[in-house]
Amino acid sequence: MKIGVCAPPQFWAAVKGKGFDYVEWNFSVIANYTEEQMAQYLAQKDELGLKVLSCNGFFPGGFFMFGEDRAQIEAWTREYARAGFARAAQFGADVAVMGSGYARNIPEGMDIAEAKERFAALMRILGEEGENAGVRVAIEPLQQKETNFLHTLQEGAEICDMVAHPYVGLTLDIFHFWAGGEPLENIEKYKHYVFHAHLARPQADRKAPTEADTEMCLVYRDAMRKIGYDNKISLEPVYGDFITDITGAYPVMKHFR
């Protein structure tokens, strides 16, 4: 399994020197780079010999999935995704995490069945455009304080069943999984949908793990090994001091390899 770090370009050199295999960077930022910025950061990546294998932060701030004009939202999503996936692929990414808690908040008064159907339709668009670029979409269940919709692997799997597209699956975020109180067996139950993984320590502070957290993290490592997961896991905590955090997390994340 490859271990990586969610990090912006100003920290890429530091990540490279700490033993990690790749970085994960923000999809919405990449999608809105100018051509000059694309050239700059692609060159930076190449000069460092660094891999940008995944993206998070899918939709830009202010975007709302459940606005009144559904046709306009779907058309905009397709155009945005097509351009964004092409750019993510240029960086070498093969998976994009679809978290975007604000964007997927269900408005008051909307029926849950309607929200699921509309969300699934948008995810199907992402699957189609992602497949064209060779980038899979990994829906991320989030803790309840971040969104009012889709908090568990079980709920995410229901959406994946509705979408029924091979390029749409799930992110196993260990912090959110813990926060949602899901039983560990759900990792095995929905293993065929797990495309990607995130790690922050499974505690309320959501900090980067240190060696003191190894035992609690290895519970999830073992569950992932049980299902044969051997793709990528990205460090995605609430950072304090970035260098201190990734340095302290590396001995824990090495166990996931």
Side-chain angles (χ1 to χ4, degrees):
M1 191 187 308
K2 293 182 175 67
I3 58 173
V5 176
C6 295
Q10 63 264 36
F11 290 123
W12 288 358
V15 173
K16 178 65 178 179
K18 294 297 182 181
F20 292 93
D21 301 314
Y22 70 95
V23 295
E24 180 169 316
W25 182 218
N26 190 291
F27 186 94
S28 66
V29 172
I30 290 173
N32 286 289
Y33 277 154
T34 64
E35 292 304 317
E36 290 77 12
Q37 287 172 317
M38 281 292 293
Q40 174 188 345
Y41 295 124
L42 285 170
Q44 180 179 341
K45 172 187 74 71
D46 292 341
E47 288 167 9
L48 289 169
L50 190 70
K51 298 177 181 179
V52 183
L53 297 183
S54 54
C55 298
N56 59 11
F58 195 92
F59 284 114
F63 175 71
F64 185 51
M65 295 184 185
F66 300 117
E68 292 184 6
D69 191 340
R70 177 173 177 174
Q72 190 277 331
I73 290 169
E74 292 184 356
W76 180 89
T77 296
R78 186 175 293 281
E79 183 178 352
Y80 169 77
R82 181 178 297 142
F85 281 129
R87 287 180 157 211
Q90 281 186 265
F91 275 92
D94 62 11
V95 66
V97 175
M98 211 307 295
S100 301
Y102 171 82
R104 75 188 200 213
N105 271 330
I106 301 173
E108 185 175 353
M110 178 174 284
D111 180 74
I112 184 65
E114 178 186 357
K116 289 178 179 179
E117 189 276 324
R118 288 187 58 174
F119 184 80
L122 288 177
M123 295 306 101
R124 192 172 298 110
I125 289 170
L126 297 190
E128 291 166 358
E129 297 302 330
E131 183 175 19
N132 290 336
V135 183
R136 296 193 293 178
V137 181
I139 301 167
E140 183 178 29
L142 299 172
Q143 63 176 329
Q144 291 188 8
K145 67 173 64 175
E146 294 184 31
T147 187
N148 65 8
F149 179 54
L150 207 162
H151 306 116
T152 65
L153 288 183
Q154 181 176 355
E155 293 169 344
E158 180 185 356
I159 296 297
C160 290
D161 287 337
M162 294 171 66
V163 176
H165 194 287
Y167 269 64
V168 177
L170 298 174
T171 297
L172 169 60
D173 183 295
I174 288 171
F175 168 77
H176 290 301
F177 186 90
W178 169 84
E182 282 194 85
L184 205 60
E185 54 263 30
N186 275 8
I187 295 176
E188 182 170 13
K189 187 173 183 179
Y190 303 114
K191 63 183 179 181
H192 53 293
Y193 283 134
V194 177
F195 287 176
H196 190 55
H198 281 161
L199 177 66
R201 74 188 216 120
Q203 295 293 314
D205 58 17
R206 198 180 175 180
K207 290 184 177 179
T210 65
E211 289 189 83
D213 303 308
T214 300
E215 185 175 352
M216 70 174 73
C217 291
L218 291 188
V219 171
Y220 299 93
R221 190 278 313 267
D222 292 345
M224 294 165 76
R225 284 187 175 177
K226 185 177 179 181
I227 66 171
Y229 180 84
D230 191 30
N231 202 328
K232 296 185 286 294
I233 183 166
S234 303
L235 181 68
E236 193 197 40
V238 175
Y239 288 116
D241 178 81
F242 182 83
I243 303 299
T244 299
D245 287 347
I246 68 170
T247 302
Y250 182 72
V252 181
M253 295 195 73
K254 282 198 305 182
H255 291 290
F256 284 79
R257 278 202 174 111

